[in-house]
Each structure stands twice: as C-alpha cells, then as structure tokens.
C-alpha cells in the first residue's frame, strides 16, 4: 500500500545536537511538507517543497533545515539553533496542483534529554 | 489573509449523541474545504472534503456542507461512537493556492 513513512517514532536530542527526522513517501507525490504540532495546538508549517531540488520556508523555519534530493524523500534536520524543539513533527505529501488534500505520516515525537 | 476558526474543545458527548463541530473560514474566491481527523499518537487522515459552494462531503457517517453565504463548513454526525474520539481539524486551500491552512483543532471525547 502507498503511504508516508516517518522514522523514528520517538527521538531524543541532547543539548547542542542536531537531529534528522526521516520522511519517505511512495505515493509519487510532487509536493511534501513538514509541520510542527505542540500539545493542544494546531499545525504550523516549517518547510515545504513543490518539486525535487526546491523548497521554501514556512511560518516557523528558524532552527530547521531540509533537503529534497529525491522525489520520495524530504528529511528534516532540527538544529541546535532551535531552542525549543520538543514537539510532534508531521510530514505530509500531496499531488501537485491546487486544492489537493494532504496525506500524512504517523509523526515523530522529539524530546530533549 | 486566509484563516480557519473552529470551536474550542474539548467536546464531550455520550455515545449515540448528535455531533456538531463548527468551522468558519476567511478566504478570497472559492477555497477547497477539508475535515481531517487525528487519533492519539497518529498523523492526520482526510475525513471529507468539498470543493465548491453547496457541495456536501461525507464519509463514515460524518457530513459537512460548503456554505459560501455564511463562510462555514460545520462537521456533523448523527450518532457518535466511542471510536470517534479524536481531534478534528477544519482546513482550507485557497483558490489557486498551494498551502493548507488548518484550524486549531477540536478534541472530541465520546463516553460509553
């Protein structure tokens, strides 16, 4: 079955450490997204990519970085510059073009040691 | 700018009760409207959608009608089950737009 796979499910970061969250999709979608979700909050867009080798900052990009070298993959790095990284991170993808719904992975929960 | 406002939760209902979760939006043109559901520890799943005025989206007993005149897309279900306990997000994509705008989410608890 097609879908989005996020790994790991749980991740712990030490102070000053960069960590990378994996997101892989086999839906053949052009567009991919990263969101952050804090407890009891909605989703905030970190980065998005409409096509391979291209990505744009979302609303809260500071302290994060991404790459899009392959259509299937859109990893997110949480850098040491992100001072409050504890959150639930969701990756999504969609068909290119207006008005298309997004398909989500099951998320990665990041905590600080 | 574009925005989505949905009723604050939590909403607590008994099994078989009627559910309404209100959602209103601000957007130019004719956005596409969505309801997503998030079960504990999981990502969001598309529940239903509507792409033009007066369209009714429906799935798993849930319904929502795209009301252009009131800029609303309220979610309804006639008889909720314990398994419907989740967080529900209303969302839109503006005409010609690319990014999805999400509401803050409404948590639903259904008691047996």
């Amino acid at each position: 079955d097609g879908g989005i796979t996020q790994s790991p499910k749980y991740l712990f970061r030490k102070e000053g450490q960069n960590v990378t969250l994996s997101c892989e999709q086999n839906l053949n979608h052009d567009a991919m997204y990263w969101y952050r979700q804090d407890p009891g909050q909605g989703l905030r867009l970190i980065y998005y990519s409409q096509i391979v080798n291209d990505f744009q900052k979302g609303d809260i990009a500071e302290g994060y970085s991404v790459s899009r070298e392959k259509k299937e993959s859109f990893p997110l790095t949480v850098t040491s510059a992100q001072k409050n990284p504890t959150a639930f991170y969701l990756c999504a993808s969609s068909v290119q073009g207006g008005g298309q719904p997004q398909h989500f992975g099951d998320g990665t929960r990041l905590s600080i040691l | 700018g574009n925005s989505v406002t949905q009723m604050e939760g939590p909403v607590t209902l008994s099994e078989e009760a009627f559910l309404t979760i209100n959602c209103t939006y601000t957007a130019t043109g004719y956005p596409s409207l969505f309801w997503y559901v998030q079960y504990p520890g999981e990502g969001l799943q598309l529940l239903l959608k509507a792409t033009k005025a007066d369209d009714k989206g429906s799935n798993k007993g849930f319904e929502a009608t795209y009301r252009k005149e009131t800029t609303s897309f309220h979610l309804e279900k006639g008889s909720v089950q314990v398994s419907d306990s989740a967080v529900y997000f209303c969302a839109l994509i503006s005409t010609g737009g690319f990014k999805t705008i999400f509401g803050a989410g409404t948590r639903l608890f259904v008691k047996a």
Side-chain angles (χ1 to χ4, degrees):
Chain A
D1 285 341
I4 298 180
T5 301
Q6 290 188 241
S7 62
K9 192 168 180 65
Y10 300 95
L11 187 58
F12 298 91
R13 195 192 89 169
K14 296 179 181 178
E15 293 288 342
Q17 185 181 43
N18 294 352
V19 292
T20 298
L21 284 60
S22 171
C23 177
E24 302 279 333
Q25 55 101 355
N26 61 4
L27 297 166
N28 200 33
H29 287 169
D30 285 310
M32 297 188 75
Y33 314 78
W34 274 106
Y35 294 94
R36 171 178 171 141
Q37 186 178 27
D38 292 284
Q41 304 293 313
L43 279 67
R44 293 187 288 172
L45 183 64
I46 304 173
Y47 269 97
Y48 64 100
S49 168
Q50 297 185 60
I51 198 167
V52 175
N53 293 322
D54 186 47
F55 50 82
Q56 288 80 41
K57 294 181 179 180
D59 302 317
I60 56 164
E62 186 174 351
Y64 300 97
S65 65
V66 294
S67 62
R68 187 83 188 277
E69 297 176 0
K70 297 187 299 182
K71 186 176 186 178
E72 304 79 24
S73 179
F74 191 42
L76 173 74
T77 296
V78 183
T79 75
S80 57
Q82 173 49 248
K83 297 307 179 187
N84 183 23
T86 298
F88 190 50
Y89 290 87
L90 287 164
C91 178
S93 70
S94 70
V95 173
Q96 185 63 286
Q100 300 298 325
Q102 296 185 0
H103 298 252
F104 284 82
D106 280 340
T108 293
R109 189 166 299 281
L110 176 62
S111 302
I112 297 299
L113 284 178
Chain B
N2 300 328
S3 66
V4 175
T5 302
Q6 55 183 112
M7 62 189 290
E8 288 191 27
V11 174
T12 303
L13 296 173
S14 297
E15 206 166 24
E16 299 184 3
F18 185 86
L19 168 71
T20 299
I21 300 178
N22 290 338
C23 172
T24 57
Y25 67 89
T26 301
T28 55
Y30 292 86
S32 295
L33 302 176
F34 308 88
W35 277 101
Y36 289 85
V37 59
Q38 184 180 31
Y39 298 101
E42 298 182 7
L44 278 68
Q45 301 173 27
L46 178 66
L47 183 59
L48 52 85
K49 67 176 183 180
T51 57
K52 60 183 188 295
D54 300 325
D55 262 2
K56 177 184 283 188
S58 61
N59 185 25
K60 300 180 181 179
F62 291 89
E63 293 182 339
T65 300
Y66 190 143
R67 301 289 188 196
K68 180 68 174 174
E69 64 277 13
T70 55
T71 62
S72 65
F73 192 54
H74 305 321
L75 182 68
E76 297 181 335
K77 186 176 185 183
S79 176
V80 293
Q81 305 301 311
V82 173
S83 57
D84 293 327
S85 298
V87 180
Y88 293 82
F89 291 91
C90 185
L92 69 82
I93 300 177
S94 61
T95 306
F98 177 73
K99 292 192 291 183
T100 300
I101 308 299
F102 290 91
T106 302
R107 183 174 295 276
L108 170 66
F109 291 106
V110 180
K111 303 179 296 184

